Amino acid sequence: MTQTEERTPTTTDRSPGEHALADALAQLKFAVDLLGYGDGLHQLLASARRETRVSIPLRRDDGTMEVLTGYRVQHNFSRGPTKGGLRYSPDVSLDEVRALAMWMTWKCALLDVPYGGAKGGVTIDPRLYSKGELERVTRRYASELQPVLGPDKDIPAPDIGTDEQTMAWIMDTYSVNAGYTVPGVVTGKPVSIGGSLGRSTATSRGVAQVALAALQHVRVAPTAATAAVQGFGKVGASAAQFLADAGVRIVAVSDQYGAVHASNGLDVVRLHEHVAVTGTVLGFADAEPMDPDSLLTLDVDLLVPAAVEGVLNAANAADVRATVVVEGANGPTTAEADQILRGKGVLVVPDILANAGGVIVSYFEWVQGNQAYWWSVEEVEERLHQRMLAGWTAVVESSQQLGITLREAATVIAVQRVAEAHQIRGLYP
Ligand code: NAD
């Protein structure tokens, strides 16, 4: 039995993390088979290069102590240092982090960013902890991982439940331990300490750019299009804004508390203001509350899942009525749902392309930091736009040439680049 098979859960009642990993491995297997690679190379690509699990003892504000678990999976570093977000969520598991790290490898290779993939996670619900507690968790996590992090080793960035403040704490902890300031150990940090202009909205900007390209591909004008967006966080909120700016009517959005709907279109600027005050889209005056699950099956041109994994699955994919699905989140569509959507003729723009804007501008941030020379926001946004459209065009062309889906095409392009790096470097010893 190969290592790949051993790590693939066989039961039907998999956890979300096991599901995500099984899907990631199946996508890799498809690419390996199409490219005609042997078992050895397949195993190399399927295996994480390094997996670290740490205990994080936390002193709570009330004086009690608890122990959290942190992970960092560095999937592949054949093309450069590893890169990937850090997630704070009570549902984080090692398998989820493994899947997300593998997808990061393919995302970086697809967009020709000179990194491998990594991902980190801490099992914590950040809403239940004070800022001081979150700072202590972050500093302990960064300190435990210090030996495997660094601008030439592995570079975290924000993800679910973390933000630029989290990155600033990691940067400071790493720098204090190193004895000098190391801004390049993280990206997505505040502009005042070496962050890039345009980074905070880069993922959303990229999501909107490929969404508009995909709408054009199916011959729907932005001003005639309707959209529903699941998740109103760092990715979903600004993606909704950029799409609305392009003339798309955003008819529904949701967050973890619920969903709101307005068939004439939501005023996204005012919704932002409402969320800034209340912390949720619920209660927005100019919209009706709706069942959040129904948002995914609304009759819209564009559906943007921008929250968590596995939300489009065997249970609801047959009911999806959108023409185009653009994956703002990582892994929102399960393998079963992918098959169903394909059968229905729904165009699915895969996560490793659709949400790559974040890692592209993270790369720009790292380049600017290395040169200690910062670009204007216009330069950042222009270069981001070029890369997103180049990625979109390459994936569409390959999909058409090979007669495969956009996800399959994106994975094949990426896996081929990573495999080439392995083959040209050879095996040591
Ligand atoms: P975030 O924590 O800023 O926002 C997450 C949003 O999803 C919140 O509005 C939350 O309420 C909502 N949510 C959570 N569970 C939900 C559910 N079951 N139904 C509806 N909404 C739900 O996180 P983020 O950074 O916006 O990340 C969202 C997704 O995008 C993740 O899959 C992440 O890996 C991916 N992503 C993020 C970036 C980035 O730069 N932040 C880059 C690439 C991919």
Side-chain angles (χ1 to χ4, degrees):
M1 187 182 272
T2 67
Q3 193 178 350
T4 315
E5 286 163 343
E6 281 167 21
R7 276 177 39 183
T8 307
T10 51
T11 54
T12 48
D13 55 343
R14 293 170 173 146
S15 70
E18 288 170 333
H19 245 298
L21 181 58
D23 287 355
L25 289 170
Q27 290 156 12
L28 169 64
K29 174 88 168 58
F30 174 88
V32 163
D33 288 347
L34 189 137
L35 292 162
Y37 297 153
D39 274 353
L41 186 53
H42 182 194
Q43 279 184 48
L44 196 63
L45 296 167
S47 311
R49 192 72 182 264
R50 188 185 286 135
E51 298 183 344
T52 311
R53 179 191 171 287
V54 294
S55 292
I56 306 171
L58 166 68
R59 193 177 60 259
R60 300 283 318 245
D61 290 342
D62 65 5
T64 59
M65 199 261 284
E66 67 183 58
V67 181
L68 305 164
T69 304
Y71 303 101
R72 187 78 185 167
V73 173
Q74 297 162 331
H75 171 251
N76 189 291
F77 31 89
S78 60
R79 300 178 77 252
T82 49
K83 185 89 192 78
L86 170 61
R87 175 173 292 194
Y88 284 1
S89 159
D91 305 322
V92 162
S93 68
L94 181 55
D95 278 345
E96 178 188 58
V97 178
R98 282 173 170 150
L100 292 163
M102 186 182 292
W103 284 324
M104 279 306 297
T105 299
W106 311 144
K107 192 181 301 181
C108 293
L110 176 65
L111 278 297
D112 211 8
V113 168
Y115 296 134
K119 201 79 181 188
V122 177
T123 51
I124 184 171
D125 185 343
R127 295 168 303 167
L128 307 181
Y129 292 78
S130 71
K131 188 172 178 187
E133 289 169 336
L134 292 174
E135 177 173 357
R136 292 197 286 282
V137 168
T138 303
R139 288 187 181 279
R140 184 64 183 244
Y141 175 82
S143 199
E144 290 284 345
L145 285 165
Q146 179 107 2
V148 294
L149 298 182
D152 300 319
K153 295 181 187 173
D154 181 17
I155 308 152
D159 193 76
I160 293 177
T162 60
D163 56 19
E164 58 178 34
Q165 174 64 77
T166 321
M167 296 305 112
W169 289 327
I170 294 177
M171 187 271 228
D172 184 69
T173 306
Y174 187 92
S175 299
V176 169
N177 286 342
Y180 57 98
T181 296
V182 190
V185 66
V186 285
T187 60
K189 56 190 171 286
V191 171
S192 56
I193 53 170
S196 176
L197 294 171
R199 170 61 184 89
S200 60
T201 54
T203 307
S204 317
R205 205 172 273 283
V207 168
Q209 285 163 351
V210 290
L212 293 171
L215 284 173
Q216 192 179 19
H217 189 75
V218 298
R219 301 185 198 292
V220 177
T223 47
T226 53
V229 179
Q230 184 196 43
F232 205 71
K234 292 185 292 296
V235 178
S238 298
Q241 185 64 64
F242 291 131
L243 288 167
D245 291 347
V248 176
R249 187 151 44 100
I250 310 295
V251 295
V253 300
S254 65
D255 60 21
Q256 66 209 96
Y257 307 106
V260 290
H261 180 266
S263 42
N264 290 334
L266 293 157
D267 181 334
V268 182
V269 174
R270 293 199 48 235
L271 182 57
H272 266 279
E273 290 163 5
H274 171 81
V275 172
V277 174
T278 66
T280 172
V281 299
L282 284 180
F284 182 51
D286 300 337
E288 301 295 320
M290 78 174 293
D291 166 35
D293 292 340
S294 309
L295 177 144
L296 298 168
T297 55
L298 278 177
D299 187 5
V300 285
D301 299 295
L302 172 65
L303 174 63
V304 182
V308 290
E309 291 103 69
V311 294
L312 295 174
N313 48 49
N316 62 7
D319 300 325
V320 168
R321 285 182 287 168
T323 311
V324 176
V325 173
V326 174
E327 296 184 333
N330 286 307
T333 312
T334 65
E336 295 99 325
D338 237 358
Q339 284 302 322
I340 296 167
L341 294 176
R342 178 186 205 166
K344 285 166 64 83
V346 177
L347 185 71
V348 179
V349 184
D351 44 10
I352 60 171
L353 170 63
N355 68 34
V359 79
I360 291 172
V361 177
S362 275
Y363 164 51
F364 295 164
E365 178 176 330
W366 182 77
V367 168
Q368 293 169 77
N370 287 342
Q371 297 178 338
Y373 182 81
W374 277 267
W375 310 343
S376 68
V377 71
E378 290 79 15
E379 275 174 284
V380 171
E381 287 173 3
E382 175 55 29
R383 288 175 203 231
L384 168 65
H385 193 215
Q386 280 171 12
R387 283 200 179 233
M388 289 305 298
L389 286 191
W392 162 258
T393 305
V395 170
V396 169
E397 282 176 6
S398 166
S399 138
Q400 287 170 343
Q401 274 163 18
L402 298 171
I404 56 181
T405 65
L406 297 182
R407 189 189 313 284
E408 289 164 349
T411 310
V412 167
I413 294 170
V415 168
Q416 189 170 23
R417 289 187 180 154
V418 177
E420 264 174 41
H422 275 293
Q423 284 163 332
I424 199 88
R425 286 178 61 158
L427 267 194
Y428 172 80

